[in-house]
Amino acid sequence: MEKELLIEKITTFLNEIGITTPKEVLSEATFLPGLKILGNSIVIDTDKLLYPGDILHEAGHIAVTPSQERIHIGTEKMDKDWPSQGDEIGAMLWSYAASVHLELPNDVVFHPNGYKGSSQWLIESYTQQNFIGLPFLEWCGLTASKENGQNGIVFPKMKQWLRD
C-alpha cells in the first residue's frame, strides 16, 4: 500500500477514536521524522514522514497515557521521564492491536529501521501470541487476556482504545 493511502487509513482510524492528526510543516527536528505529539494530537509532516506505521506507535503513547496527563504531552508540564519503559512496551503492543484492527501488514508498524533492530523479533513474538506488555494494557482497562476475556473481548481486540 502506498504511503498516502496508509497515512489516510491510519489517520481516519485515529480521528475516529479521539486522537487528532493535523497535517503541518514541522520546522524543528523531531524524535521520529515528520511526527510530533502534542497533547491528544499527532502533528504529521507528510513530506518528512518516513514510515506511516510510526504514526500508530506514537498514537500508542497517547493511548496508554492517563487521560488527565495527555494534555501535557509535548509541553514542559509533562513528566520528564515520560514515556516510561512500561509505557513504551504498552505503546508497542497497542500499535500491534491497532495494526491488526486496520488489517495492516506487521512490517508497516514494525519496520526494519525501527525498534532498535528488534522489529522482526517483535513481529515473531506477537505472531506467536507472546504479547509482551499485555498485563499493562489490561491494567489500563484497554483489553483482556484469554484468561480474563469477557464478551469476546480478548487481545488483540480492544475494549476501548484510549485509557481513562
Side-chain angles (χ1 to χ4, degrees):
M1 189 179 291
E2 61 183 78
K3 180 180 174 181
E4 292 79 20
L5 291 175
L6 278 172
I7 292 169
E8 183 62 29
K9 186 171 190 170
I10 291 167
T11 57
T12 297
F13 164 70
L14 294 178
N15 286 299
E16 287 172 358
I17 66 167
I19 298 174
T20 59
T21 55
K23 293 174 180 66
E24 298 177 14
V25 173
L26 295 171
S27 56
E28 73 273 10
T30 55
F31 180 72
L32 291 174
L35 297 175
K36 179 181 178 181
I37 303 178
L38 188 57
N40 208 48
S41 297
I42 302 171
V43 180
I44 303 169
D45 185 331
T46 56
D47 290 337
K48 292 179 183 159
L49 179 66
L50 299 179
Y51 304 101
D54 287 346
I55 300 168
L56 282 179
H57 178 79
E58 295 302 281
H61 285 296
I62 293 170
V64 302
T65 300
S67 59
Q68 69 273 14
E69 295 176 24
R70 270 188 226 126
I71 60 169
H72 301 301
I73 297 173
T75 72
E76 291 180 12
K77 292 183 179 180
M78 191 62 181
D79 185 332
K80 65 178 177 76
D81 294 325
W82 181 90
S84 69
Q85 283 292 71
D87 293 336
E88 186 67 41
I89 292 167
M92 287 189 287
L93 194 56
W94 185 97
S95 62
Y96 172 76
S99 69
V100 169
H101 176 78
L102 294 171
E103 299 178 342
L104 299 175
N106 288 326
D107 63 355
V108 168
V109 174
F110 302 100
H111 55 82
N113 292 317
Y115 302 93
K116 300 178 183 175
S118 296
S119 299
Q120 191 58 42
W121 178 79
L122 287 165
I123 291 170
E124 289 170 10
S125 294
Y126 296 156
T127 302
Q128 296 169 6
Q129 298 187 359
N130 181 15
F131 299 129
I132 304 147
L134 183 53
F136 176 73
L137 293 185
E138 284 187 283
W139 180 75
C140 292
L142 300 177
T143 191
S145 63
K146 286 181 183 178
E147 298 78 23
N148 299 323
Q150 297 174 353
N151 302 321
I153 304 294
V154 173
F155 189 82
K157 290 183 181 178
M158 302 293 275
K159 294 179 189 178
Q160 60 190 50
W161 288 101
L162 299 177
R163 185 175 176 182
D164 291 332

